[in-house]
Amino acid sequence: MNTLSNSAFTEQQSANETVDADENGGQYMRIGEVASQLGVTLRALRFYEDKGLVAPRRIGTTRLYDRRAITRLKLIMLGRRVGFSLREVKQIMDLYEPNGSNYRQLKVLLEKGTRQLARLEKQRLDLDNAIGELQQTLTSVRTSLDGAVSRS
C-alpha cells in the first residue's frame, strides 16, 4: 500500500471505530445516528450540507457531526417547522457571533419571527373559517340524507 491509500485507509478505519471526541471534548456522531436522533432522513442531512447550512467533519466518505453541527440542525428543523425558508434560516444562523452579543442576529430573528407569527395566525384563522364552513356543509348533507332515508 502506498502512503496516500494507507492514510485514507487509516482515516476510514478510525471513522468506523469509536468516534473520537471533538475539539470541545464532545463526541462526534455519524450521519445515521444524527438522522435517527433528529427524526430526519439521511437525504435531508446531505441536502442541508449541500446548501451550506451545516458542515460535518469528513473522514473519507464518513460524515461526523459535532455538538455545534447538531445544534445547527436542530435550529434548521425548528425554523422549517415554524415556516421559515431555508434561506431565512441560513441568514439568521450566519449572523451568529460566538464571542459577540449577537444583537444583529436577535434583531433579525425578532423581525422575521414577528412577520412569520402574523402569517401563521392568519393561516390559522383561514383554517378555522374553512373548518367551520365544512362542518356546516356536512351538517346540511347529513340532514338531507336523514330526510331522504325517512322518506324512502
Side-chain angles (χ1 to χ4, degrees), residues 14-29:
S14 68
N16 290 332
E17 294 171 358
T18 302
V19 180
D20 297 86
D22 68 13
E23 61 276 359
N24 298 320
Q27 291 290 313
Y28 281 101
M29 292 177 67

Side-chain angles (χ1 to χ4, degrees), residues 132-146:
E133 288 178 35
L134 183 56
Q135 286 172 332
Q136 287 176 351
T137 300
L138 293 175
T139 299
S140 295
V141 169
R142 283 187 190 98
T143 302
S144 295
L145 282 174
D146 290 344

Side-chain angles (χ1 to χ4, degrees), residues 15-96:
N16 290 332
E17 294 171 358
T18 302
V19 180
D20 297 86
D22 68 13
E23 61 276 359
N24 298 320
Q27 291 290 313
Y28 281 101
M29 292 177 67
R30 290 182 194 84
I31 189 169
E33 296 169 317
V34 173
S36 178
Q37 178 185 9
L38 300 180
V40 297
T41 64
L42 300 177
R43 184 176 181 198
L45 294 177
R46 291 185 195 109
F47 177 78
Y48 296 146
E49 180 182 356
D50 288 343
K51 294 297 180 186
L53 293 164
V54 66
R57 179 178 173 199
R58 300 288 291 261
I59 297 180
T61 59
T62 303
R63 289 171 172 86
L64 298 173
Y65 295 81
D66 61 8
R67 188 172 48 90
R68 180 177 184 273
I70 293 168
T71 298
R72 286 181 68 90
L73 287 166
K74 289 177 181 177
L75 292 172
I76 292 164
M77 293 182 333
L78 171 63
R80 296 298 292 147
R81 273 195 311 276
V82 300
F84 288 135
S85 69
L86 285 179
R87 183 175 163 197
E88 290 173 313
V89 170
K90 184 174 184 347
Q91 179 187 15
I92 293 166
M93 288 193 319
D94 286 349
L95 293 172
Y96 177 71

Side-chain angles (χ1 to χ4, degrees), residues 86-113:
L86 285 179
R87 183 175 163 197
E88 290 173 313
V89 170
K90 184 174 184 347
Q91 179 187 15
I92 293 166
M93 288 193 319
D94 286 349
L95 293 172
Y96 177 71
E97 298 174 23
N99 299 317
S101 70
N102 291 300
Y103 175 82
R104 190 163 166 232
Q105 181 192 39
L106 296 173
K107 187 166 173 54
V108 168
L109 177 58
L110 182 62
E111 290 168 1
K112 288 184 179 295

Side-chain angles (χ1 to χ4, degrees), residues 122-135:
K122 183 183 181 322
Q123 287 177 347
R124 180 172 53 192
L125 181 62
D126 292 343
L127 280 171
D128 288 342
N129 290 334
I131 289 169
E133 288 178 35
L134 183 56
Q135 286 172 332

